[in-house]
Amino acid sequence: SGGDIYDLNVNDYKNVFLLNKKNTVYKLHSQEYIQNINNSAENTKICKTIDVEQNSFVLVVVESWSLHHSLLFSGLSDITPELDDLAKKGTWFQNYYTNGYSTETALIGLLAGNLPIATHKGWGLLAYDAVDQNAYEKLHAAGYETAFFTTGDLSFSDKGKWLKKIGLSHVEGAAHSAYDGLLRGAFGAASDNALVDRFLFWYAQKIEKECKPFFASPVSYSQLTLTTI
């Protein structure tokens, strides 16, 4: 009967305060754990110096994207054919992963090449030390510009400050004038269409003016939650 649907036991509910009381976001990993991770074979860093052409390159980061969305990466679904096409025309890695419990900690792997292990208490990106490599410093020395684009709020999780801390020279977020008057969603973000339009405009200017080479990373936000005003 219809009444059976709502016949729930009180034990089906959990006390949200008790569940979150044991939250470990402000508890640091032990030094033993950190040493074991850093000494693991999977974390061994191998750097090679090779001669390459000084080309620009773009790292596209898509929020909440999974391998099963891609025919290229998983062979399961063909939901993102245009991203697959971009990957085929550029460079793609079949067995590369960056782990983290949030978008921000995943960016630590993608943009800094570090494991997301906090060195200070807190959950913001500034709880993590600066990168232990100087990739952006080397890019700048080689004449590159480095840039990061998103429509999200850069103050969330101290993302803007962290991006500058690791060495990116140009950082844009929700406050950029290109998004004025647009509908906003999670983290004050405009739509991915607006992000793409803004990035392509920036890209076209660089190509037209034959500026120095660049590394740029546009990061989407629209897939997180329902849009709000």
Side-chain angles (χ1 to χ4, degrees):
S1 66
D4 294 336
I5 298 177
Y6 304 101
D7 187 17
L8 300 176
N9 189 292
V10 67
N11 293 325
D12 293 333
Y13 294 90
K14 304 294 183 181
N15 188 313
V16 66
F17 296 105
L18 289 178
L19 284 175
N20 286 277
K21 187 177 180 180
K22 296 181 180 180
N23 191 310
T24 61
V25 69
Y26 291 106
K27 183 177 180 180
L28 296 177
H29 293 295
S30 69
Q31 286 302 311
E32 180 183 5
Y33 173 83
I34 294 174
Q35 289 175 2
N36 288 338
I37 292 294
N38 288 333
N39 294 332
S40 65
E42 291 81 4
N43 196 37
T44 301
K45 295 182 179 179
I46 301 175
C47 298
K48 297 181 179 179
T49 300
I50 58 175
D51 294 325
V52 296
E53 293 185 15
Q54 199 176 41
N55 294 324
S56 297
F57 49 105
V58 177
L59 174 66
V60 180
V61 181
V62 182
E63 174 66 46
S64 301
W65 183 86
S66 298
L67 292 182
H68 72 81
H69 294 139
S70 163
L71 188 64
L72 174 65
F73 284 88
S74 70
L76 298 176
S77 303
D78 192 16
I79 299 174
T80 55
E82 292 188 36
L83 283 176
D84 285 358
D85 188 51
L86 280 175
K88 292 174 184 177
K89 292 177 179 177
T91 301
W92 61 283
F93 303 94
Q94 189 173 13
N95 193 28
Y96 174 78
Y97 303 91
T98 175
N99 61 323
Y101 60 86
S102 68
T103 303
E104 278 64 34
T105 50
L107 288 177
I108 293 172
L110 286 170
L111 297 178
N114 281 14
L115 290 168
I117 298 177
T119 52
H120 311 289
K121 290 184 178 181
W123 63 277
L125 282 167
L126 293 182
Y128 301 82
D129 274 341
V131 295
D132 57 7
Q133 42 82 2
N134 57 349
Y136 297 111
E137 180 181 326
K138 290 181 178 179
L139 283 173
H140 296 154
Y144 276 79
E145 180 179 354
T146 56
F148 178 92
F149 297 83
T150 185
T151 61
D153 183 358
L154 292 174
S155 67
F156 177 75
S157 195
D158 294 316
K159 186 190 279 95
K161 293 179 180 178
W162 180 80
L163 291 165
K164 288 290 188 179
K165 183 180 178 181
I166 67 172
L168 286 156
S169 57
H170 179 82
V171 177
E172 290 185 7
H176 193 274
S177 59
Y179 311 123
D180 288 351
L182 298 181
L183 198 66
R184 302 300 181 111
F187 305 101
S191 70
D192 287 347
N193 288 339
L195 173 66
V196 171
D197 288 343
R198 166 57 193 153
F199 177 74
L200 290 179
F201 178 79
W202 178 89
Y203 178 84
Q205 285 187 312
K206 295 298 178 184
I207 300 302
E208 180 181 347
K209 296 179 181 179
E210 297 183 351
C211 296
K212 57 187 178 182
F214 59 83
F215 162 77
S217 181
V219 180
S220 73
Y221 259 110
S222 290
Q223 295 88 338
L224 283 171
T225 63
L226 294 177
T227 301
T228 57
I229 300 297

